[in-house]
Each structure stands twice: as C-alpha cells, then as structure tokens.
Amino acid sequence: NSRIMFALFVATLGCALSVGGSPPATQPRVVVLTLDMMVHQVSAEYIIRGIHEANASQAEAILLQLDTPGGLSNSMRAIVQAILDSKIPVITYVAPSGGSAASAGLFILLAGDAAAMAPSTTTGAAHPVIIFGADIGKTMETKIENDAAAYIRSLADKRGRNSKLAEEGVRQSRSFTEKEALEGNLIDVIAPSPQELLVKLDGKMVKRVNDTGADGIELNF
C-alpha cells in the first residue's frame, strides 16, 4: 500500500464534492494524496511521484492530506519543492480530526497554494531536532535553527501567510490549533471533510509561486 490514493473524478470522493450539482463527468479531477506517516525518503518519494503523475494527467488540483509527526529535513524539503514546482494547485490539509502536521509537517502545510485544517487538529512544534541526540556544538545548532527559520519565513511569504507566527513555530516550538492557525493567517480555511473543503475553496483566488499576474488563478471545483 503506497498510501497514495487517487481520486480521479469527483464521484470517487462522493457526490458531495459537486458544488454546482452538475453530473460528475463534468466536474474537474482532483488527485488526493495522503501522508499519514513520518516524513522520510520513502514517504517523500511516494508523494513526489503522486504530484508528478497528477501533473502529467492534467488534473485540476491536488489535495495533500497530512497527519504526520514530522521527520527528516531533506525529505521534507524535497516534498515542498515538488509542491512549489507543481503546475497545478496543491491544497494541503491536516486531517482527520485528532491528526496533526507537526515539525516538518508545518513546512509542508505552509507550502500549499491553499492550506486547511480539520477541526481538532494541530500543527507546529517545528524546531529542528538533531538525530540521535548527537552533540554538534552550539554554533552548528544555531546555524541549523537559523536556516530552518529563514526557510519557513520564505514559504510563508511566498503564500502570503504570517511569516512571524510561522517562525515562532520553529524558534519557540509553538504549536497551533486549527482555530489559532486560521486566526493567525497560517491557513485559509477549516473544514471537517475533503468534500466540504473543496466546497469552501471553490472560487478562491490563489497566487502561484511563479505567477506574475495580479489576481492569480481561481480554484474551481
């Protein structure tokens, strides 16, 4: 089980995804990817491959559902880069209720064109942790923390989100409930299910990372 689930038509996720009540065959395709394990080389490869295949199939959007305790920085950065390089919008979504996008998961959440959380979920606690508790010295620890802080500020700025609050998730290991994340402009919407999430995002304007247009593009589901 690669843990990548493909929803090629709205009917795959249920008729509730239909916003306008049109027949499923007329609805755009949304590819759903699920990251519900640690972020490491294998899980990153699954997600990156899923993003590439969704782009190749000319899907309308990707919904990346997150429930992860975090993981390796280099694997996280590879996933983030695939999201930023995607030619189609990527919606990041912390779910189901009770789930979290901790540590590396916060970076992935903020990288999405649109970011969302389900009720009773959390994100944050993204301070870098040295594997196996190795003593690398105070100077190197500071360099790693500063690099992580700069990276998350850059991601937040790219998406028009709260870079100061995002940085606190790194430097102070702050965690946020879904309500705190929404009020703090770390995410765009709270939704209890993928179906309701797409309904809430329908018609939302998002600015792609490499988009030079003033208005960005409109999400249509």
Side-chain angles (χ1 to χ4, degrees), residues 106-107 110 123-128 145 148-150 152-153 156 162-176 180 184 186:
L106 175 61
F107 291 81
L110 295 180
T123 189
H127 191 280
E145 178 182 321
I152 206 164
R153 287 199 310 270
N162 190 333
S163 60
K164 180 179 182 296
L165 202 60
E167 184 174 0
E168 290 178 6
V170 172
R171 294 197 183 276
Q172 301 175 25
S173 291
R174 283 195 61 181
S175 292
F176 310 96
E180 291 168 340
L186 290 176

Side-chain angles (χ1 to χ4, degrees), residues 165-206:
L165 202 60
E167 184 174 0
E168 290 178 6
V170 172
R171 294 197 183 276
Q172 301 175 25
S173 291
R174 283 195 61 181
S175 292
F176 310 96
T177 67
E178 78 286 358
K179 293 179 181 178
E180 291 168 340
L182 181 64
E183 292 169 358
N185 189 30
L186 290 176
I187 63 172
D188 304 296
V189 66
I190 297 172
S193 68
Q195 292 87 350
E196 188 164 337
L197 172 59
L198 295 190
V199 170
K200 287 187 173 185
L201 289 177
D202 187 55
K204 177 179 175 59
M205 299 298 299
V206 296

Side-chain angles (χ1 to χ4, degrees), residues 37-205:
M37 62 178 78
M38 287 191 65
V39 178
H40 48 54
Q41 182 178 354
V42 175
S43 59
E45 287 175 355
Y46 285 138
I47 298 302
I48 293 167
R49 185 174 66 192
I51 291 173
H52 290 167
E53 291 179 357
N55 276 265
S57 70
Q58 298 183 336
E60 292 293 330
I62 298 165
L63 176 59
L64 174 53
Q65 183 167 311
L66 304 169
D67 183 9
T68 175
L72 302 179
S73 175
N74 58 346
S75 297
M76 172 271 289
R77 289 183 184 236
I79 293 174
V80 167
Q81 194 58 53
I83 292 173
L84 299 182
D85 289 343
S86 176
K87 293 181 172 58
I88 60 177
V90 178
I91 302 161
T92 49
Y93 177 44
V94 185
S97 293
S100 70
S103 191
L106 175 61
F107 291 81
I108 297 171
L109 175 65
L110 295 180
D113 292 277
M117 297 172 70
S120 301
T121 55
T122 60
T123 189
H127 191 280
V129 176
I130 308 304
I131 297 178
F132 306 128
D135 184 4
I136 62 174
K138 187 63 176 177
T139 299
M140 184 57 70
E141 286 185 10
T142 300
K143 286 183 178 181
I144 292 172
E145 178 182 321
N146 287 343
D147 180 65
Y151 188 53
I152 206 164
R153 287 199 310 270
S154 175
L155 290 176
D157 287 340
K158 280 181 173 68
R159 299 306 195 188
R161 301 193 174 110
N162 190 333
S163 60
K164 180 179 182 296
L165 202 60
E167 184 174 0
E168 290 178 6
V170 172
R171 294 197 183 276
Q172 301 175 25
S173 291
R174 283 195 61 181
S175 292
F176 310 96
T177 67
E178 78 286 358
K179 293 179 181 178
E180 291 168 340
L182 181 64
E183 292 169 358
N185 189 30
L186 290 176
I187 63 172
D188 304 296
V189 66
I190 297 172
S193 68
Q195 292 87 350
E196 188 164 337
L197 172 59
L198 295 190
V199 170
K200 287 187 173 185
L201 289 177
D202 187 55
K204 177 179 175 59
M205 299 298 299

